[in-house]
Amino acid sequence: MAFTETFLQSLTSVVPADRILTRAEDLVPYGFDGTAAIKQRPAAVVFPLTTDEVAACVRLAHEAKVPIVTRGSGTGLSGGSVPVPDALVLCLARMDRILEVDAENLTLRAQAGAVTLKIDEAAAAHGLLYPPDPGSMRISTIGGNVAENSGGLRGLKYGVTRDYVMALEVVLADGRVARFGSACVKDVAGYSMKDLFIGSEGTLGIITEVLLKLVPRPAARRTMLALFDSMEAAADTISAIIAAKIIPCTLEFLDRTTTACVEDYAKVGLPTDCEAVVLMETDGHPAAVADEAERMAAIALEHGAREVRTARDDAEATSLAAARRNAFSALARRRPTTILEDVTVPRNRLAEMVTFIAATAAHYNLQVGTFGHMGDGNLHPTFLTDERDEAEMARVHQALDAIVTKTLELGGTITGEHGVGLAKKPWLRQQMGDHSYELMKQVKAALDPEGLLNPGKIFD
Amino acid sequence: MAPPTLRTIDYAILQQCMHCGMCLPTCPTYDTTKHERNSPRGRIALMRAIADGDLEITKTFADEMSYCLGCLACQTACPAGVQYATLFETARADIERSGVNQNLKRDFWRSLTLKLLFQRPALLRAAGAALRLYQRSGLEGFVRRTGLTRLLPADLRRLEPQAPTISPRFSNRLIAPVETPKGEARFRVALLTGCVQDLAFAEVNRDTADVLLANGCIVETPPVQPCCGSLHAHNGETGLAQKLARQMIDLFPPTKYDAIISNAGGCGSHLRHYGPLLADDPNYHERARAWDAKLKDVHEWLAQIGVRAPEAAPFDQPTTITYHESCHLVHGQKVTRQPRELLRLLPGVTITELPEATWCCGSAGVYTITQPEQATLLQERKTRNILTTGATVVATANPGCHLQVARGLTAAGADIEVMHPMSLLARAYRREQRP
Ligand SMILES: Cc1cc2nc3c(=O)[nH]c(=O)nc-3n(C[C@H](O)[C@H](O)[C@H](O)COP(=O)(O)OP(=O)(O)OC[C@H]3O[C@@H](n4cnc5c(N)ncnc54)[C@H](O)[C@@H]3O)c2cc1C
Ligand code: SF4
Ligand code: SF4
């Protein structure tokens, strides 16, 4: 079977009809996520409000053999929530309640559709912090963050989403509900199944509820901009700061093209005449912050920074970080299509990688803007192109291939935080090696034998 | 040349949206439903599907574009520089041409308002005067009390209690065609009186003129001014909007003035884009561009020329004021800092920030009539936010917002006054003269 009228009828017995969309005008906007040039209309979209409703939908889809694509806010950058033909999209955007902040145990429980920023705001109301802050945090859902194991601007010091997931509630492929993990700081009972679901991109189960770890909000922070006349000098500075055993919370990098686009939009006073801007932030105890900030500035100047500017106040610091969060979208100002990479290398290979990207773009005669979480070794070279120009697109693909090959040579990974989805699928086997790759497929087959959960994502 | 349709518009404008979703949290309709179709990203996707030939212009699409407030919060939020205003107006014009919305009753109201009243200032004023007579004569109370309104057609019944209280005298009776400042004249400006502003808030125009005079401007206010065409452009009547723009440029040759002043956010946002509107008109496009350069929102202009701080307080008591940003001032014209700066100059006044100050109040042109439910949701949200500030005055600079916010506050039984920043400033200047 597949998606039929009968299936649709049965769906309305578990979710009211006004939460099921089937009209063309309703479906067209669910044909894509934040990824360029991938489009596929689903057969229907359903908005469950509870775990029970999710489970009921999944049971019906399982019986009818209808593929399910789970979606949060559709900001994914690897095509993860782009539907497959005849798919039912399970959109969790309305399961957005924050259920509890436990200020004694420093945890927060929320439905999977809760928006990342709202989670941090709820934590802040108790003097706490939820650290992972992806650029999309104003709209991305926590379910999407967990499913992609998203990183953010503070990843260097605080880690990524995985480091904050204590427990998950998951609806399995056949509609059973399972819980993994606990509210305990230590827990080694059985396999760490929750870790299997983190980063599973909607292919193993539907995450319906999360229990997150919070940390105390730091008492102080200092934000600085270091300006460089060469990208290599910026990369060297990053390596030197890390080698000096300083762990700042943020070391974000923008090249000249990206800086110009961001400034064009945000008008926060970024200099547009230097080759690289590094946004550096340290937070914690005021004395430690002052000390670290001073040492970071000194290291930057030693390694060729033209200038190091310090944000005047909290408001300026926040607006600088906000401007950086918009980097990817701002790059779209230049050309119609923006194709971004997510390559990540060991941090002492950064300078080499940055140089290679620039050379590759020049070789293929392409415009590229590079930015990224440099402290994590995670770069987002973004090709500014036009999907309608076939010749240019062919060169883009050649350039991407070259960058991926180089990344793997340097011991890096094809994706640091956006996931494999559809976009990175062709290179996964190459990176993982045959045995790991096959094992992963076995795991998928064990948890989703019918292959109905987000089919065709990560691997075929 | 015919104005572009979704199929003929420069495709790059549609492609500019890279569907990142960064605009979603700022969109009031998406916030209500969480349906992509009701979001900027979704609406642009529909437009692109139409441009691609994957979708026809349907009644559902028309409804969707009617549900969009046109508040342009998405345009401010979009890092990619998507020109949502252009897409929005093109889509609405396309819908009008397609005829999917046609029905007799709607046509009658559109013709009466867009094609007749809002094109002929004299008729509009006459209609306004009649409405005032009705409001003042006691007839209004009588009609409402006796339930006679039930005899009105449903549309009119909905409209009737929303009609603004009409000013006793319109701008032409309050402001002389040319007024000169007492001291040295530094600038010559033209004052646009607007349609709704003129009918419901003529005294705001008087206050604006006073503030400009107090700041060394010669103020020219022709007694009869065409409508600026903003309502027409927003509702898909591009041809009429172009015609009105030409009339405006003829009446106010841009070279004659240092600035052409608008005090209504909604009008200003349209008024400063005559250039693109008349881009294909060889006779007018240059003048239209010059016009755009001269067109200033009054707050922007005052901040630019260096406003004189009033010496007297506008009120006897220390007063807390909050500021609601008109969508078309903040998102359409990016004027957000200046009104606050002006308000901060007022002696005896504390400014508290309004939570969600830039969130639409639901007024949005004719939205209260076309989408009453969503309009009311937004109005109630605005009222709740205002109540948290403890302010006794809400400043706002657009007649539509003014009415909508005031009605919301009245419905909530709140004793909070709504005032245009120019009225507050004018009041303070006037009180300088008191012994
Ligand atoms: C401007 C911009 C900036 C970004 N910055 C960052 C960044 O700094 N760091 C980063 O890591 N990413 C970033 N991203 C990528 C993206 O925002 C993240 O991957 C985010 O976690 C996706 O969340 P979402 O709710 O939009 O998920 P979606 O895009 O809807 O879904 C993403 C994937 O998760 C699956 N999924 C979603 N919800 C669930 C669920 N409840 N259960 C199971 N599977 C689910 C989907 O099937 C899909 O495979 C950015 C994106 C944009 C557009
Ligand atoms: S309108 Fe702008 S912010 Fe919204 S999805 Fe498109 S590109 Fe992103
Ligand atoms: S104009 Fe306002 S209502 Fe319309 S899409 Fe943009 S933000 Fe949403």
Side-chain angles (χ1 to χ4, degrees):
Chain A
M1 256 198 317
F3 201 98
T4 59
E5 232 359 85
T6 334
F7 171 68
L8 198 59
Q9 276 305 322
S10 66
L11 210 54
T12 56
S13 67
V14 297
V15 174
D18 65 351
R19 283 196 268 119
I20 303 172
L21 307 178
T22 52
R23 256 195 252 199
E25 291 89 342
D26 282 310
L27 300 179
V28 163
Y30 287 93
F32 50 81
D33 63 0
T35 318
I38 315 181
K39 231 174 15 182
Q40 173 63 51
R41 222 185 271 189
V45 182
V46 57
F47 294 85
L49 298 182
T50 61
T51 302
D52 285 347
E53 284 185 353
V54 173
C57 293
V58 173
R59 262 194 308 276
L60 290 173
H62 183 248
E63 276 161 26
K65 310 251 179 297
V66 170
I68 292 184
V69 178
T70 311
R71 179 179 170 107
S73 290
T75 65
L77 296 177
S78 55
S81 56
V82 176
V84 293
D86 281 331
L88 174 66
V89 168
L90 260 176
C91 182
L92 268 52
R94 291 181 63 180
M95 284 181 63
D96 60 353
R97 284 188 303 135
I98 292 172
L99 301 166
E100 187 189 8
V101 180
D102 181 344
E104 282 182 358
N105 286 307
L106 309 191
T107 60
L108 182 150
R109 202 159 55 84
Q111 285 188 305
V115 167
T116 318
L117 177 69
K118 300 279 179 205
I119 287 180
D120 186 43
E121 284 174 357
H126 293 82
L128 298 168
L129 174 74
Y130 172 69
D133 59 342
S136 51
M137 69 184 295
R138 276 170 59 86
I139 184 66
S140 68
T141 65
I142 193 69
N145 292 171
V146 174
E148 298 287 13
N149 188 16
S150 300
L153 273 57
R154 297 191 273 243
L156 177 54
K157 174 170 173 180
Y158 289 103
V160 295
T161 304
R162 182 188 301 282
D163 302 309
Y164 295 86
V165 177
M166 300 186 73
L168 292 177
E169 179 186 73
V170 180
V171 173
L172 302 175
D174 55 6
R176 284 176 300 161
V177 180
R179 289 185 180 77
F180 306 109
S182 69
C184 301
V185 174
K186 302 166 77 171
D187 183 350
V188 294
Y191 296 152
S192 182
M193 295 295 284
K194 79 170 196 282
D195 279 299
L196 187 56
F197 286 89
I198 300 169
S200 64
E201 306 189 24
T203 62
L204 299 182
I206 292 109
I207 300 157
T208 47
E209 201 179 293
V210 296
L211 182 72
L212 301 168
K213 180 168 93 178
L214 304 175
V215 299
R217 248 185 146 71
R221 67 168 168 165
R222 179 96 51 95
T223 304
M224 295 174 291
L225 281 183
L227 319 181
F228 296 89
D229 289 322
S230 86
M231 294 210 279
E232 291 77 9
D236 285 342
T237 299
I238 307 272
S239 304
I241 290 175
I242 289 164
K245 306 193 174 57
I246 304 174
I247 311 265
C249 69
T250 296
L251 285 178
E252 291 287 318
F253 157 90
L254 305 175
D255 72 356
R256 186 181 190 135
T257 304
T258 315
T259 309
C261 291
V262 170
E263 181 56 21
D264 197 19
Y265 165 66
K267 311 226 164 28
V268 287
L270 294 176
T272 49
D273 64 338
C274 44
E275 290 306 317
V277 174
V278 174
L279 178 72
M280 317 193 284
E281 186 170 300
T282 145
D283 68 0
H285 188 279
V289 166
D291 172 60
E292 281 181 357
E294 229 166 79
R295 286 166 57 206
M296 280 157 63
I299 293 174
L301 292 170
E302 264 165 44
H303 286 81
R306 183 210 289 179
E307 189 192 336
V308 177
R309 296 184 190 168
T310 303
R312 267 173 280 119
D313 48 25
D314 222 36
E316 196 187 7
T318 304
S319 75
L320 287 173
R324 152 61 189 93
R325 287 204 176 87
N326 288 319
F328 168 51
S329 314
L331 277 167
R333 298 174 93 82
R334 285 284 168 91
R335 297 286 308 277
T337 311
T338 37
I339 297 190
L340 113 160
E341 274 302 307
D342 184 28
V343 293
T344 306
V345 294
R347 289 170 292 194
N348 62 353
R349 313 306 292 270
L350 267 173
E352 203 176 330
M353 193 65 215
V354 163
T355 314
F356 182 83
I357 291 167
T360 308
H363 177 76
Y364 289 102
N365 190 19
L366 295 166
Q367 269 190 57
V368 72
T370 302
F371 65 99
H373 316 291
M374 230 185 193
D376 306 340
N378 186 185
L379 294 171
H380 297 311
T382 305
F383 288 97
L384 313 180
T385 173
D386 186 340
E387 62 194 284
R388 291 171 301 172
D389 183 338
E390 278 176 34
E392 189 171 316
M393 285 301 280
R395 297 205 306 281
V396 169
H397 286 294
Q398 286 168 328
L400 290 179
D401 246 335
I403 289 174
V404 167
T405 308
K406 178 74 176 178
T407 303
L408 296 180
E409 260 173 49
L410 294 178
T413 172
I414 51 173
T415 170
E417 57 177 17
H418 296 159
V420 177
L422 293 168
K424 309 290 185 294
K425 212 162 63 164
W427 297 289
L428 184 63
R429 190 173 201 127
Q430 190 185 343
Q431 174 173 336
M432 295 195 74
D434 290 342
H435 294 168
S436 332
Y437 188 79
E438 292 304 334
L439 179 66
M440 211 163 55
K441 291 183 83 161
Q442 283 170 353
V443 171
K444 163 79 175 170
L447 285 169
D448 177 20
E450 314 274 1
L452 293 175
L453 297 183
N454 215 359
K457 308 298 168 64
I458 305 183
F459 34 58
D460 285 310
Chain B
M1 206 182 92
T5 67
L6 288 173
R7 295 226 161 116
T8 62
I9 195 176
D10 180 1
Y11 196 73
I13 301 184
L14 286 160
Q15 245 183 335
Q16 196 69 41
C17 174
M18 39 99 77
H19 31 89
C20 62
M22 299 295 268
C23 53
L24 266 54
T26 66
C27 175
T29 53
Y30 178 75
D31 187 69
T32 302
T33 66
K34 299 287 193 294
H35 288 183
E36 281 283 351
R37 191 186 112 182
N38 307 130
S39 80
R41 175 168 75 168
R43 290 177 177 130
I44 297 169
L46 291 178
M47 294 180 208
R48 189 162 167 178
I50 289 168
D52 288 343
D54 290 342
L55 203 69
E56 292 300 311
I57 294 185
T58 58
K59 179 77 175 66
T60 310
F61 176 67
D63 290 347
E64 187 50 52
M65 291 317 295
S66 155
Y67 188 45
C68 171
L69 291 147
C71 69
L72 304 186
C74 50
Q75 192 161 303
T76 298
C78 174
V82 169
Q83 301 167 41
Y84 187 79
T86 307
L87 292 173
F88 173 77
E89 290 187 356
T90 308
R92 283 207 171 171
D94 237 9
I95 289 165
E96 277 321 306
R97 267 190 301 265
S98 76
V100 289
N101 263 339
Q102 235 140 38
N103 77 46
L104 278 178
K105 203 165 64 181
R106 183 171 183 280
D107 285 353
F108 171 74
W109 285 110
R110 277 184 80 87
S111 302
L112 180 66
T113 53
L114 292 180
K115 299 191 179 151
L116 197 63
L117 287 183
F118 281 99
Q119 278 221 75
R120 311 227 174 130
L123 268 184
L124 187 62
R125 280 188 178 146
L131 188 56
R132 176 172 164 80
L133 203 63
Y134 165 72
Q135 287 170 342
R136 294 295 304 249
S137 63
L139 205 56
E140 179 184 50
F142 174 75
V143 169
R144 283 194 198 159
R145 265 197 316 278
T146 54
L148 276 179
T149 41
R150 256 180 275 132
L151 298 179
L152 298 173
D155 288 357
L156 195 55
R157 205 159 56 213
R158 211 156 57 199
L159 191 59
E160 192 262 359
Q162 298 202 12
T165 310
I166 299 298
S167 299
R169 284 185 300 165
F170 304 134
S171 306
N172 56 331
R173 304 275 303 280
L174 295 175
I175 311 172
V178 181
E179 297 192 7
T180 46
K182 281 209 204 77
E184 183 206 351
R186 296 190 290 154
F187 306 98
R188 177 181 297 275
V189 304
L191 175 60
L192 306 180
T193 49
C195 303
V196 181
Q197 192 82 291
D198 179 40
L199 288 186
F201 300 109
E203 71 289 355
V204 170
N205 285 333
R206 178 66 259 171
D207 294 338
T208 306
D210 284 346
V211 172
L212 289 166
L213 290 165
N215 285 282
C217 300
I218 300 169
V219 181
E220 293 196 13
T221 316
V224 181
Q225 303 186 7
C227 174
C228 70
S230 127
L231 274 178
H232 307 79
H234 272 269
N235 290 284
E237 298 287 354
T238 319
L240 292 181
Q242 288 167 332
K243 183 174 140 203
L244 291 165
R246 284 189 283 263
Q247 289 177 5
M248 284 294 260
I249 294 172
D250 288 342
L251 182 62
F252 298 101
T255 44
K256 190 175 160 197
Y257 302 104
D258 294 307
I260 302 167
I261 303 291
S262 159
N263 62 6
C267 311
S269 168
H270 175 73
L271 281 161
R272 62 203 309 155
H273 295 114
Y274 278 179
L277 185 66
L278 297 176
D280 295 325
D281 184 331
N283 291 324
Y284 276 86
H285 83 265
E286 231 154 78
R287 267 180 292 162
R289 296 226 323 259
W291 161 286
D292 289 358
K294 288 284 170 69
L295 199 286
K296 300 280 177 213
D297 170 71
V298 67
H299 308 88
E300 183 186 17
W301 172 246
L302 289 170
Q304 182 184 325
I305 64 172
V307 67
R308 173 172 80 72
E311 284 152 26
F315 303 102
D316 292 334
Q317 310 293 330
T319 305
T320 302
I321 297 184
T322 194
Y323 176 62
H324 160 66
E325 310 208 35
S326 133
C327 291
H328 281 241
L329 202 51
V330 49
H331 303 305
Q333 304 186 62
K334 309 279 181 257
V335 173
T336 170
R337 177 177 51 82
Q338 300 91 329
R340 288 183 174 82
E341 283 171 8
L342 295 183
L343 291 171
R344 265 189 225 111
L345 294 177
L346 294 169
V349 162
T350 315
I351 309 294
T352 48
E353 268 303 307
L354 174 63
E356 304 185 331
T358 61
W359 198 256
C360 181
C361 65
S363 159
V366 292
Y367 200 80
T368 43
I369 300 161
T370 54
Q371 303 282 342
E373 272 174 48
Q374 177 72 16
T376 306
L377 273 180
L378 292 172
Q379 185 181 49
E380 288 168 355
R381 181 168 178 160
K382 186 57 69 183
T383 304
R384 278 197 303 278
N385 278 323
I386 292 171
L387 293 178
T388 65
T389 63
T392 52
V393 175
V394 183
T396 194
N398 186 53
C401 305
H402 192 137
L403 289 167
Q404 175 83 346
V405 170
R407 271 195 223 105
L409 290 167
T410 309
D415 186 17
I416 300 177
E417 203 176 345
V418 183
M419 291 180 80
H420 194 291
M422 287 308 113
S423 301
L424 285 159
L425 269 176
R427 217 181 132 101
Y429 286 135
R430 276 179 214 130
R431 286 163 61 104
E432 287 175 345
Q433 264 102 55
R434 295 204 317 187

